[in-house]
Amino acid sequence: MAGLSDAPFIEALAVPAVCALIAFLSYFSQYIFFHDPDLLPGPPSRAETLVFNGLLLCLWISYFRAVTVDPGRYVFEDRVLEVTADDDGGSGRWCKKCQAPKPPRAHHCRHCRRCIPKMDHHCPWTSNCVSMTTFPHFLRFLAYANVSLWTLGYLLWQRFLALWETRHMPSHLGPSLFGLVGLSATALTWSVTSLLLGLMLFGTLKGWVLNRTSIEELEYDRHEAHFRSGARDWWDLTGPDGEKLKFEHVEFPYDVGFFANMAQAMGTSNVLLWFFPLAGNPRLSKTAPGPGWTWEENGFNRKEGMWPPINPEKLRLSKRELGVSRRNYEAELQDYGLSAEEQVEAFRRRQEEDFRRRNRNLMAELEEVDDDVYQQRRSDDDEGSLFGWTHADGDSLGDYGVDEDAEEQDEDVPLAELLRRRKGNGLYVDE
């Protein structure tokens, strides 16, 4: 259901529709319970009424905050952004839409039109991104929604059980037709809503404990699938230096222990505040490094900043389509400041070296290409996600609200940006 955000009418109707659904299940059901005295076992008790409406109050507060809290905005003024790649910053993530660096775990949302810190997905039912700042409210909303549904389910079960036990009585002694129709409509709506929200709560709790967003879950599944396929020949890709890029398994680095994961996501280690509807949420630091700009890693990889892992299929297909290797950032930096004649000579020298490398690898490249498979992959990509990967249920990055066109430019860092980073000794400094 992640892709529902793309429907043009969903964004305008989503929040009113959710409010109407909550009101129907919450208050129409109580109207049925109290309106028909013949609907056994009668109106809910005072304690049941207080508990149910208390849960509804928490539900409304949590939903309001999930809708209205800002998902986060990176402001690049008087800031310093640490680069987790090489000293030249050549592998740093860059968003071509924002024209700014993209911090770890951030993605460009095509609905919010900006990079979102620790973006999980753009939720159509809140018309907001589930992110570093909104995740606690989204989790509380799902938790209170499910507990409220379970409470309503108990009240419905009491009344259906009473109907079954009195099934042999004359119908005119039982509840009214309006009461029976209203009870049946409520039960049908309850069953569908409970199933869907239960699945959503399960997935959200799993990501909460593992400290893994929906987008990172997709990246994790893709990487593990590549790993299980083994070190095949198509993993051997030629880098800008002519050397082969080898497959390397990358552990998910942000799982720092289940309690630390949960406390980090909720913005506090006080368990009592995790499900308090008026509790706060993590705050994005105004400057880097800080919360939302850098993230603690577990140290299982040989260095930090290795996530997300390289997508070899994306590199291979882009290389075949464009016919060029990845940019040689080091050469660009070396050429900067040279005279026009010196730059032309340096370019010709690199061109000759590239020609020799391509000749060496030409036969190997041709042997690796399966034209039928390649054309099928390109056909699939043209219809959907560019160089994409989907879950078994068919969800891709685009279904989570990610601007995939911006994602494809993660490594296309402008030369001026590289110079600023080098001047700052590996730090990005806004001058």
Side-chain angles (χ1 to χ4, degrees), residues 48 66 95 131 142 146 253 290 295 334 384 393 403:
E48 291 173 337
C95 179
S131 68
L142 288 180
N146 277 273
W295 298 92
Q334 289 175 355
D393 57 6
D403 190 324

Side-chain angles (χ1 to χ4, degrees), residues 37-40 161-175 180:
D38 295 324
L39 185 61
L40 300 178
L161 180 61
L163 286 173
W164 177 256
E165 291 176 344
T166 59
R167 64 188 182 279
H168 299 299
M169 292 180 60
S171 58
H172 70 275
L173 298 177
L180 289 175

Side-chain angles (χ1 to χ4, degrees), residues 180-238:
L180 289 175
V181 172
L183 188 68
S184 300
T186 302
L188 180 61
T189 307
W190 171 88
S191 61
V192 175
T193 306
S194 297
L195 175 62
L196 296 178
L197 287 183
L199 293 174
M200 290 177 63
L201 178 63
F202 174 79
T204 303
L205 290 175
K206 177 185 174 183
W208 182 33
V209 173
L210 298 178
N211 199 12
R212 192 182 298 164
T213 66
S214 298
I215 296 172
E216 290 167 345
E217 184 72 27
L218 187 148
E219 293 171 340
Y220 177 84
D221 289 347
R222 179 192 67 198
H223 183 61
E224 291 299 315
H226 289 157
F227 175 71
R228 288 192 299 270
S229 68
R232 297 175 180 173
D233 292 339
W234 61 275
W235 280 102
D236 295 331
L237 304 171
T238 303

Side-chain angles (χ1 to χ4, degrees), residues 286-306:
K286 294 183 179 180
T287 59
W293 300 79
T294 57
W295 298 92
E296 179 184 0
E297 297 194 12
N298 52 31
F300 287 135
N301 296 316
R302 59 181 173 82
K303 66 176 184 178
E304 293 187 350
M306 295 183 66

